[in-house]
Amino acid sequence: MRRVLILGGTAEARGLAGELAADPGLWVVSSLAGRVTNPRLPAGEVREGGFGGAAGLAAFLAEERIDVLVDATHPFAERMTASAAAASSATGVPLLVLRRPGWTEEPGDAWSRVGSLPAAADLLATGDWRRPTPRDEGRARVFLTTGRRSLALFASVPGVWLLARSVDPPEPPVPPNVHVLLDRGPYTVEGERALIREHRLDVLVTKDSGGPMTTAKLAAARQLGLPVIMVNRPPLPAGVRLADTVAAAVDWVHG
């Protein structure tokens, strides 16, 4: 029986676990970081909590006699992917990175791409993304969907009001210029459009996560002429094998 470890937490990871767990020739365990309250659990065995970096992951691979490692974490889980690459190199366990494709601009989009979250905050501060006529006398009303851990970075930008949407609440205290909206996708274009209008939002700041669950905000921004500050994905470690669909990952594991 081949032993497969999936570094999970995404819809693709759950889909992969469901496909592989149905194979009687595979023993599948999914590892969740434990950062989300009440996560959606995949099929097969589940392990929660970190490994303690690359060395800890390498030790787990050896102790559990793992044959195949699949990193299906979030496209912005840069540290985990680096640890997976290092652990694979140290142990010889083959590694596949499963990443859904990123988003691409469509006609009518007004995107400004940046290389990092700090670069997005810097661009927000300059005002270079602005409409010709701001809605609120120069005070930018920002739709922030970059995750609760980045909230402090954007809340410190002068002259902004933030509608920050996340699955779990941020650590208190919440700055006075921030309104937190707790919600989990998938979302609808109609709902996102109504949200933008209700809060009179001027700009969307988001990460290029890809996938259909949260793409509705981009369609709503396009329809309403809302500028978007898009944070590009971090680069993958050199030499890793990449799959962009669950089906391709299943074929690789079986092969």
Side-chain angles (χ1 to χ4, degrees), residues 192-223:
E192 300 289 66
R193 202 166 50 222
L195 189 69
I196 291 170
R197 285 172 169 159
E198 176 188 355
H199 294 280
R200 298 177 292 112
L201 300 172
D202 293 303
V203 60
L204 166 64
V205 181
T206 192
K207 298 188 291 189
D208 188 5
S209 301
M213 286 188 64
T214 58
T215 192
K217 63 191 173 189
L218 301 177
R222 183 183 314 120
Q223 293 174 9

Side-chain angles (χ1 to χ4, degrees), residues 125-167:
T126 68
D128 289 346
W129 52 268
R130 282 189 179 277
R131 302 166 177 269
T133 305
R135 292 180 176 181
D136 195 16
E137 298 179 354
R139 182 177 173 85
R141 298 179 66 84
V142 183
F143 188 11
L144 184 67
T145 64
T146 56
R148 59 191 173 99
R149 296 178 183 274
S150 64
L151 182 56
L153 175 65
F154 290 95
S156 64
V157 175
V160 299
W161 178 90
L162 304 175
L163 175 67
R165 184 167 68 190
S166 61
V167 175

Side-chain angles (χ1 to χ4, degrees), residues 49-113:
F51 293 96
L57 177 55
F60 182 89
L61 296 177
E63 291 167 4
E64 297 297 328
R65 307 187 309 281
I66 299 298
D67 297 297
V68 176
L69 173 62
V70 180
D71 172 17
T73 56
H74 192 275
F76 283 81
E78 184 175 10
R79 186 178 302 176
M80 188 69 252
T81 298
S83 292
S88 170
S89 178
T91 61
V93 174
L95 168 66
L96 177 74
V97 175
L98 172 58
R99 290 284 187 275
R100 54 185 176 259
W103 292 316
T104 57
E105 291 181 73
E106 298 185 15
D109 285 330
W111 291 7
S112 298
R113 283 192 174 270

